[in-house]
Structure formats: structure tokens, C-alpha cells
Amino acid sequence: MTAVGLIFSNIHDNSIPELTRMRTIGSVPFGGRYRLIDFALSSMVNSGISKIGLVTHNNYQSLLDHLGNGKDWDLARRSGGIKLLPPFVTAFDNAGANKFYTSRLEALMGTVNFLNRCNEDYIVMSDCDVICNIDLNDVIERHATSGADITFVTKSTDLTGVSENEILTLIKSDENDNVTDVFEDHVSEDTQMYINIMVMKRQYLLNVVETAISRGHNSFLRDIIMKNIGKAAYKVYKYDGWYAHIGSLEGYFECSMKLLEADARERLFGVKNRPVLTKVRNSAPTRYCDGAKVTNSVVAEGCVIEGTVENSIIFRGVHVGKGAVVKNSILFQDSYVCSGAELNCVIADKNVMIKDGRVLSGHKTMPFYIGKNMSV
């Protein structure tokens, strides 16, 4: 069995507008040295998928900078590799309107040429708001054996990163894993969250998209999935590994803080034969100066720590000055915290400067966010 991957890098940009104002959700930093797209890419590469279509919309320059030619994921290939799929808009459609796709189905319509040129039997689709380390080979094999038209990957009860008011896609299934209902609502105990990963035959997807185009449909979930329950063969694959969902800035903060738990790091990054791959940056080791104090934190390479860091995630190239105190915070790449500054529940984007003596504090339910390249 062969499979091709399809990753949507922009679908959930509106979930965390603070972090996606200048980037896609796929290129949002996570965990000290990763981007959100690394988890979808790594799961596919570790499962032997070597041809991956990357569906983009806008603001994807930082994503391209991160991916490069794909060599860090072993995807720098003459045949296969990462294929960039920018929004397909004709000159006539775009006349004075700057019209791009607005739904998943419209995005899929722009991938038809890519899918027609593929020879693989199956297609695995994934979004970038998913943080997990899943064996997609098992999902594909289960899908092929069951004869299902679509297999949805679901997760039960784990609400990490899910806000109380968030509306999610939920699935009910019977004892044989057949889908009995798909709807949008708050999570309840008798339902499973759809985690935005699905598997289907490539030709089946092409047929579905062709039919949708001919009928003027625009919603993959409402016009295709919901209307065909009981008619098409839909199955669920119940994933039991570590999973987190990015649905808001608060959810992003909660997911990040979960990584400070040893069990969470082991279940996400310590899975045998399934490493999480990312762009390699040849930085010097982090330097801990006299008087530095670091407890229960994730600190990437290339940092200089002179002050105190507690319960925080520090990305590459960050400098924490002498006498500075950083607690319960996330500092993106190349940020600088000057002497005597105090941070609590702060998310500082890339290249942020926190000046001497500044005291900034948020709360875990409302972290204080500082935008990229800002000085406070």
C-alpha cells in the first residue's frame, strides 16, 4: 500500500490570530525548537510517506523558510518530496477581488491537478492544529482492511488546549467503529473529538471533489460528510497516544506548559522509531552563567542564561539577563530579556526586547502576548 500526504497549513489561522498575523498556523513555534507543521510532517515521514502536498493560502514565507528543500525531513527528492500547493486562482476569478479559498473543500479543489499526477493508492490529510505522534501506517492498514470510504482519527476525553466555549467536530460511532453521527458542538463524554486527520482512497477523494464542484458545494464537512452518513462507509480510528489541540492563544499556552511534564515529553517525543523532526540549526550549546538558576524548564540550544528561569519554555538564541526572572512563560527565538526584568505568564514572539526592570504579568487563562520584533 502506498500513500500520499496532504497538509493544510492555513485552515485554522483564525484560531490564534495573535500568532498567525505574520505566519501560518503551520509555522507557529512550539516546544522550544519545533513548528506545528513538524508533527504532521514527522508522522507522515516516519510512516514511509515521501510525497506530501502542502496546501497554502497566505503568509507562508516563514513556513518556506522553515521547510527549505525538505532535507531535514528526508524530503529533498527528485521524485516525491514536499510539493507546495499555493491557492489556485485564475486571472478572471481574481480580477480586482484577490479571491482565495475560504473552506477546506475549496482548498481541495485547488489540489486536483496534484492528486491526478499521483500514483499512490491512499491519501492522508492532516491539519496543523494537531500535536501528536501517530503511527499512520496502522491507520492506513486499518482503513484498507475495513473497506471504509473514509477513516477519521479521533481522540476521546483529552481536552488539552480546548477552551470551554470552543466548537469542535465530534463523532459518534458504534461498537464496530462505524460512524453513526458527525456534528459540531462542545465536547461531551459520549463523543470523540475528530483530530483533523483522515485517510481515504485517492480516487475516492477525487470523485468526491468532482461531484462537489458540479453541485456547487463549498463545505467538506456539511455538504459531503454529514449528508452521506449511513450511505457511505465511514469508520473511526481511536488514537490513544499523547495529543493536544491548538484552538486559541490560551490553548496554545496550556499545551506548551504540558511539555514541562516528563510523561508528556516522553509520550510525544520519546516514541521508539518515531522521532519528531525539525529544521536543524547549528547553534552553540546553551551557556549558563554564574548566578543562573533554571528549574523545570525546556531550554533550547544557543541561549545565554544569566538570571532565573522557572517553569518556562525557552527557544533558540534567547538571552535572559542578569537578575531577570522568567516564570511560567514562553520566549520565542532570539528574544532578549534585559537585567532586572520580571516575566510571569508571558508569550514573547521572535526578536522581542524586554528592557531593564520591566515587570510583565498575565495569567494562565490569559497570557500576556508580545508581538514579533517589539520592544517593551
Side-chain angles (χ1 to χ4, degrees):
M1 294 181 294
T2 56
V4 61
L6 200 61
I7 298 176
F8 297 86
S9 65
N10 286 90
I11 286 287
H12 301 283
D13 283 0
N14 291 334
S15 298
I16 43 174
E18 299 91 345
L19 295 177
T20 57
R21 186 172 65 88
M22 300 178 66
R23 57 167 72 93
T24 70
I25 193 170
S27 55
V28 168
F30 184 80
R33 62 197 303 265
Y34 302 93
R35 304 292 183 109
L36 292 184
I37 195 173
D38 291 337
F39 298 94
L41 268 179
S42 298
S43 292
M44 290 182 181
V45 170
N46 292 334
S47 299
I49 298 174
S50 59
K51 182 187 293 183
I52 299 171
L54 181 60
V55 183
T56 60
H57 187 284
N58 60 355
N59 282 347
Y60 51 87
Q61 182 60 56
S62 65
L63 186 64
L64 298 184
D65 291 342
H66 177 67
L67 296 176
N69 63 0
K71 66 182 179 64
D72 294 309
W73 296 265
D74 192 26
L75 291 173
R77 301 162 179 253
R78 287 181 178 273
S79 177
I82 297 177
K83 306 296 183 184
L84 182 67
L85 304 177
F88 176 77
V89 182
T90 66
F92 177 78
D93 287 336
N94 201 33
N98 196 27
K99 179 182 177 183
F100 291 138
Y101 67 79
T102 58
S103 70
R104 185 184 305 276
L105 185 54
E106 290 179 359
L108 284 170
M109 292 175 184
T111 69
V112 169
N113 288 337
F114 167 74
L115 296 176
N116 276 324
R117 292 195 298 270
C118 295
N119 299 316
E120 288 77 9
D121 301 318
Y122 298 95
I123 182 165
V124 179
M125 296 200 301
S126 176
D127 293 351
C128 288
D129 62 339
V130 177
I131 300 175
C132 65
N133 191 342
I134 184 172
D135 182 2
L136 291 174
N137 274 330
D138 191 45
V139 183
I140 296 169
E141 290 175 7
R142 191 89 59 87
H143 172 80
T145 302
S146 69
D149 292 317
I150 302 178
T151 296
F152 301 89
V153 181
T154 63
K155 178 72 175 176
S156 61
T157 67
D158 193 338
L159 304 183
T160 300
V162 180
S163 63
E164 294 180 359
N165 300 320
E166 192 170 352
I167 302 298
L168 300 168
T169 301
L170 306 177
I171 296 178
K172 289 187 177 181
S173 60
D174 61 21
E175 63 277 4
N176 295 316
D177 292 333
N178 296 305
V179 174
T180 59
D181 195 10
V182 177
F183 56 100
E184 294 178 303
D185 202 347
H186 304 292
V187 174
S188 58
E189 293 183 359
D190 61 339
T191 57
Q192 301 164 70
M193 292 171 53
Y194 166 53
I195 66 172
N196 295 328
I197 299 174
M198 69 174 74
V199 177
M200 68 187 80
K201 282 191 174 181
R202 181 178 57 86
Q203 193 57 53
Y204 178 81
L205 177 61
L206 285 170
N207 294 340
V208 163
V209 173
E210 182 180 349
T211 301
I213 292 173
S214 66
R215 296 181 179 177
H217 292 162
N218 56 28
S219 173
F220 188 81
L221 179 66
R222 298 183 183 89
D223 293 330
I224 296 176
I225 302 302
M226 291 182 175
K227 289 183 178 179
N228 284 289
I229 295 175
K231 301 174 185 177
Y234 295 157
K235 293 274 190 178
V236 296
Y237 176 96
K238 297 175 181 177
Y239 172 65
D240 60 0
W242 197 87
Y243 165 79
H245 166 78
I246 305 292
S248 63
L249 186 66
E250 296 78 15
Y252 172 84
F253 186 80
E254 180 187 359
C255 295
S256 298
M257 291 298 104
K258 280 281 186 179
L259 293 184
L260 299 179
E261 302 172 6
D263 178 67
R265 293 196 301 273
E266 181 64 24
R267 294 181 65 196
L268 182 61
F269 298 110
V271 183
K272 187 177 181 180
N273 299 323
R274 296 212 304 270
V276 179
L277 307 169
T278 190
K279 179 180 180 179
V280 175
R281 180 179 174 183
N282 295 319
S283 303
T286 289
R287 181 160 59 93
Y288 299 92
C289 303
D290 291 341
K293 181 181 179 182
V294 179
T295 57
N296 192 38
S297 297
V298 173
V299 182
E301 68 272 20
C303 299
V304 177
I305 309 296
E306 298 180 271
T308 298
V309 177
E310 297 180 10
N311 304 320
S312 296
I313 295 178
I314 309 299
F315 281 75
R316 297 160 165 166
V318 170
H319 189 127
V320 177
K322 188 173 182 179
V325 178
V326 178
K327 295 182 179 180
N328 310 308
S329 296
I330 304 169
L331 305 183
F332 286 5
Q333 183 175 309
D334 297 327
S335 291
Y336 198 110
V337 182
C338 295
S339 300
E342 296 182 17
L343 309 182
N344 180 52
C345 292
V346 170
I347 300 176
D349 213 314
K350 293 179 65 176
N351 299 309
V352 162
M353 168 73 74
I354 313 277
K355 295 182 179 179
D356 293 347
R358 300 300 192 265
V359 178
L360 306 175
S361 181
H363 188 268
K364 64 180 181 180
T365 60
M366 188 177 289
F368 187 97
Y369 172 73
I370 307 171
K372 186 176 180 180
N373 298 321
M374 289 187 65
S375 178
V376 179

